[in-house]
Amino acid sequence: MIKPKDTQAREAFVAAADLQAGTQVLDLGWEGECLEYLRETGALATFVGEDIRAVQKAEALRINGVLSEMPAEVISGVRVVFYKPAQRSAKGQVFEWIDQGFRALEMGGALYLAGQRNRGIKSYVAYLHAVFGNSKRVGRAGRVEIYNATKKQNDPLQAPVDNRMTFELCDLPGSPYSVETRAGVFSRDGLDNGTRLLINCMEVRPTDRVLDWGCGWGALGMVAARLSAKGNATLVDSNIRAISCAKGNLRRNRICNAVTRVVDARFFDLREKFDLIVSNPPFHDGNAAAHPLIEGAFRALRPGGRLMLVVMRPEAYLKHIRRIFGKGNIIAQKNGYVVLHAHIGN
Ligand SMILES: C[S@@+](CC[C@H](N)C(=O)[O-])C[C@H]1O[C@@H](n2cnc3c(N)ncnc32)[C@H](O)[C@@H]1O
């Protein structure tokens, strides 16, 4: 039987790392899948991820999974770190995690880094080398190459990356807003045009309870909270990095009537009900996110409650909105972005 390429890559990693029973391992990638192989070696593995779905996947495999954006604050003194950055990772975020991997290692321990040539592995390895002062290729499976670097000194040879970015937004309802973002969070260098269109269509009443589904650094939720002065906003995202930015932005802007939560919002079962649910949904996930979002919104809205989404390809969303809500409309369109609206009858 021909094995899938990724399986070969995992096996190549396990062979290259030559793990012993009891070796402390930190898994920063492969979303827990490599851990099944690690378990066979008897290694003591911890998976650290930023997305709650990846951590839940690790836990389902009965692997110690921790949700964190700072792995080195969760675990240290490990012998082996391995990391295969996800396909759509931001470069700065990968660099941050290489820094974290260095900090988590004991002296003499090694970080294994895997990736494809056409997906940035060269620049990741250059960074790895700059931090550790050494690196070598130790394995290959199909297009995936595996490198390692050994920790030979206490401090990294290069200062850790600082991916923070700040900007002001002065032309939105309730302005001004001061924003801080980081690499790895959606639209981290400014407000997304789709989000801006949705904000400009949002009618938030002073007592509204608003849910921002997939809040990222918090644009929709911050504006909603300011406009619903006697109501409140709940900002949810599956990614802890996004939530820590959103939380920081609420604090920076002294917005007190808003809370944040890390949840897989496809399955949210929030006891409270909302008057308005807004989202710029994850476009890579297609119907896998769209259907639960629309169905969950229908359940979570009060009588008279509204759902507002901004999307680029409205057909599938609109079809499902009409199936679930009975009706739904396009209320704005600009530069390829479309705002959809549906409401629950009183
Ligand atoms: C297109 S971004 C929009 C971010 C932000 N609302 C904005 O407009 O700038 C979609 C967001 O949804 C989050 N997300 C994706 N799947 C999710 C899920 N199942 N549950 C909660 N959040 C999710 C992503 O982490 C990302 O931050």
Short mmCIF file of all heavy atoms in Angstrom, two decimals, residues 160-182:
data_model
loop_
_atom_site.label_atom_id
_atom_site.label_comp_id
_atom_site.label_asym_id
_atom_site.label_seq_id
_atom_site.Cartn_x
_atom_site.Cartn_y
_atom_site.Cartn_z
N PRO A 160 14.40 37.71 20.35
CA PRO A 160 13.09 37.21 19.90
C PRO A 160 12.34 38.24 19.05
O PRO A 160 12.48 39.45 19.28
CB PRO A 160 12.35 36.93 21.20
CG PRO A 160 13.42 36.73 22.22
CD PRO A 160 14.56 37.61 21.80
N VAL A 161 11.57 37.77 18.09
CA VAL A 161 10.81 38.70 17.24
C VAL A 161 9.73 39.39 18.06
O VAL A 161 9.19 38.82 19.00
CB VAL A 161 10.10 38.00 16.04
CG1 VAL A 161 11.07 37.64 14.97
CG2 VAL A 161 9.27 36.82 16.49
N ASP A 162 9.44 40.61 17.68
CA ASP A 162 8.32 41.33 18.28
C ASP A 162 7.34 41.61 17.15
O ASP A 162 7.58 42.45 16.30
CB ASP A 162 8.81 42.63 18.92
CG ASP A 162 7.67 43.37 19.62
OD1 ASP A 162 6.52 42.89 19.54
OD2 ASP A 162 7.94 44.42 20.24
N ASN A 163 6.24 40.90 17.16
CA ASN A 163 5.27 40.99 16.06
C ASN A 163 4.12 41.93 16.32
O ASN A 163 3.13 41.90 15.61
CB ASN A 163 4.67 39.59 15.81
CG ASN A 163 5.62 38.71 15.04
OD1 ASN A 163 6.21 39.14 14.06
ND2 ASN A 163 5.78 37.49 15.50
N ARG A 164 4.24 42.72 17.38
CA ARG A 164 3.11 43.59 17.70
C ARG A 164 3.03 44.76 16.72
O ARG A 164 4.05 45.26 16.25
CB ARG A 164 3.22 44.12 19.12
CG ARG A 164 2.78 43.09 20.14
CD ARG A 164 3.09 43.53 21.51
NE ARG A 164 4.53 43.73 21.66
CZ ARG A 164 5.10 44.12 22.77
NH1 ARG A 164 4.40 44.40 23.82
NH2 ARG A 164 6.41 44.26 22.83
N MET A 165 1.80 45.17 16.44
CA MET A 165 1.60 46.29 15.53
C MET A 165 0.46 47.14 16.10
O MET A 165 -0.51 46.58 16.61
CB MET A 165 1.18 45.71 14.19
CG MET A 165 1.05 46.68 13.09
SD MET A 165 0.70 45.78 11.57
CE MET A 165 2.03 46.33 10.59
N THR A 166 0.62 48.46 16.05
CA THR A 166 -0.47 49.29 16.60
C THR A 166 -0.94 50.28 15.55
O THR A 166 -0.16 50.71 14.68
CB THR A 166 -0.01 50.08 17.84
OG1 THR A 166 1.17 50.80 17.48
CG2 THR A 166 0.28 49.19 19.02
N PHE A 167 -2.21 50.62 15.60
CA PHE A 167 -2.75 51.67 14.72
C PHE A 167 -4.01 52.25 15.35
O PHE A 167 -4.58 51.67 16.29
CB PHE A 167 -3.01 51.15 13.31
CG PHE A 167 -3.83 49.88 13.23
CD1 PHE A 167 -5.22 49.93 13.15
CD2 PHE A 167 -3.21 48.64 13.22
CE1 PHE A 167 -5.97 48.77 13.07
CE2 PHE A 167 -3.96 47.46 13.14
CZ PHE A 167 -5.35 47.53 13.07
N GLU A 168 -4.43 53.39 14.81
CA GLU A 168 -5.63 54.07 15.31
C GLU A 168 -6.72 53.98 14.25
O GLU A 168 -6.43 54.05 13.05
CB GLU A 168 -5.35 55.57 15.55
CG GLU A 168 -4.26 55.86 16.56
CD GLU A 168 -4.72 55.63 17.99
OE1 GLU A 168 -5.82 56.07 18.34
OE2 GLU A 168 -3.95 54.99 18.75
N LEU A 169 -7.96 53.85 14.66
CA LEU A 169 -9.10 53.89 13.74
C LEU A 169 -9.98 55.05 14.18
O LEU A 169 -10.48 55.06 15.30
CB LEU A 169 -9.88 52.59 13.79
CG LEU A 169 -9.16 51.35 13.23
CD1 LEU A 169 -9.90 50.08 13.60
CD2 LEU A 169 -9.02 51.47 11.72
N CYS A 170 -10.12 56.05 13.31
CA CYS A 170 -10.82 57.27 13.72
C CYS A 170 -12.10 57.52 12.93
O CYS A 170 -12.77 58.53 13.14
CB CYS A 170 -9.89 58.47 13.57
SG CYS A 170 -8.45 58.31 14.62
N ASP A 171 -12.42 56.64 11.97
CA ASP A 171 -13.57 56.94 11.11
C ASP A 171 -14.70 55.91 11.27
O ASP A 171 -15.51 55.73 10.37
CB ASP A 171 -13.11 56.99 9.65
CG ASP A 171 -12.43 55.69 9.22
OD1 ASP A 171 -12.14 54.85 10.11
OD2 ASP A 171 -12.21 55.51 8.02
N LEU A 172 -14.74 55.24 12.41
CA LEU A 172 -15.80 54.25 12.63
C LEU A 172 -16.78 54.79 13.67
O LEU A 172 -16.40 55.64 14.48
CB LEU A 172 -15.19 52.94 13.17
CG LEU A 172 -14.19 52.23 12.27
CD1 LEU A 172 -13.64 51.00 12.99
CD2 LEU A 172 -14.82 51.85 10.94
N PRO A 173 -18.02 54.27 13.68
CA PRO A 173 -18.93 54.70 14.74
C PRO A 173 -18.30 54.46 16.11
O PRO A 173 -17.68 53.43 16.33
CB PRO A 173 -20.15 53.77 14.54
CG PRO A 173 -20.05 53.30 13.12
CD PRO A 173 -18.60 53.29 12.76
N GLY A 174 -18.43 55.46 16.97
CA GLY A 174 -17.87 55.32 18.33
C GLY A 174 -16.37 55.60 18.39
O GLY A 174 -15.76 55.40 19.43
N SER A 175 -15.77 56.08 17.28
CA SER A 175 -14.32 56.35 17.24
C SER A 175 -13.91 57.37 18.30
O SER A 175 -14.75 58.15 18.76
CB SER A 175 -13.94 56.90 15.86
OG SER A 175 -13.94 55.89 14.92
N PRO A 176 -12.64 57.43 18.63
CA PRO A 176 -11.52 56.67 18.06
C PRO A 176 -11.31 55.33 18.77
O PRO A 176 -11.76 55.13 19.89
CB PRO A 176 -10.32 57.60 18.33
CG PRO A 176 -10.70 58.30 19.61
CD PRO A 176 -12.19 58.45 19.59
N TYR A 177 -10.59 54.43 18.07
CA TYR A 177 -10.18 53.15 18.63
C TYR A 177 -8.67 53.02 18.46
O TYR A 177 -8.14 53.32 17.39
CB TYR A 177 -10.85 51.98 17.91
CG TYR A 177 -12.36 52.00 18.01
CD1 TYR A 177 -13.12 52.62 17.02
CD2 TYR A 177 -13.02 51.41 19.07
CE1 TYR A 177 -14.49 52.66 17.09
CE2 TYR A 177 -14.41 51.44 19.16
CZ TYR A 177 -15.14 52.07 18.16
OH TYR A 177 -16.52 52.10 18.25
N SER A 178 -8.04 52.55 19.51
CA SER A 178 -6.61 52.28 19.43
C SER A 178 -6.46 50.75 19.40
O SER A 178 -7.03 50.05 20.23
CB SER A 178 -5.95 52.88 20.68
OG SER A 178 -4.72 52.26 20.89
N VAL A 179 -5.70 50.25 18.43
CA VAL A 179 -5.68 48.80 18.20
C VAL A 179 -4.25 48.27 18.25
O VAL A 179 -3.32 48.89 17.72
CB VAL A 179 -6.28 48.48 16.80
CG1 VAL A 179 -6.20 46.99 16.50
CG2 VAL A 179 -7.73 48.95 16.72
N GLU A 180 -4.10 47.12 18.90
CA GLU A 180 -2.82 46.40 18.84
C GLU A 180 -3.09 44.98 18.33
O GLU A 180 -4.01 44.32 18.78
CB GLU A 180 -2.15 46.32 20.21
CG GLU A 180 -0.78 45.66 20.11
CD GLU A 180 -0.02 45.67 21.44
OE1 GLU A 180 0.33 46.75 21.93
OE2 GLU A 180 0.20 44.57 21.97
N THR A 181 -2.30 44.56 17.36
CA THR A 181 -2.48 43.22 16.79
C THR A 181 -1.12 42.51 16.76
O THR A 181 -0.09 43.11 17.06
CB THR A 181 -3.00 43.30 15.34
OG1 THR A 181 -2.01 43.93 14.53
CG2 THR A 181 -4.30 44.06 15.26
N ARG A 182 -1.17 41.25 16.36
CA ARG A 182 0.09 40.47 16.23
C ARG A 182 0.03 39.61 15.00
O ARG A 182 -1.07 39.26 14.53
CB ARG A 182 0.24 39.55 17.45
CG ARG A 182 0.80 40.26 18.65
CD ARG A 182 0.68 39.42 19.87
NE ARG A 182 1.46 38.20 19.77
CZ ARG A 182 1.30 37.16 20.59
NH1 ARG A 182 0.38 37.21 21.52
NH2 ARG A 182 2.03 36.09 20.47
#
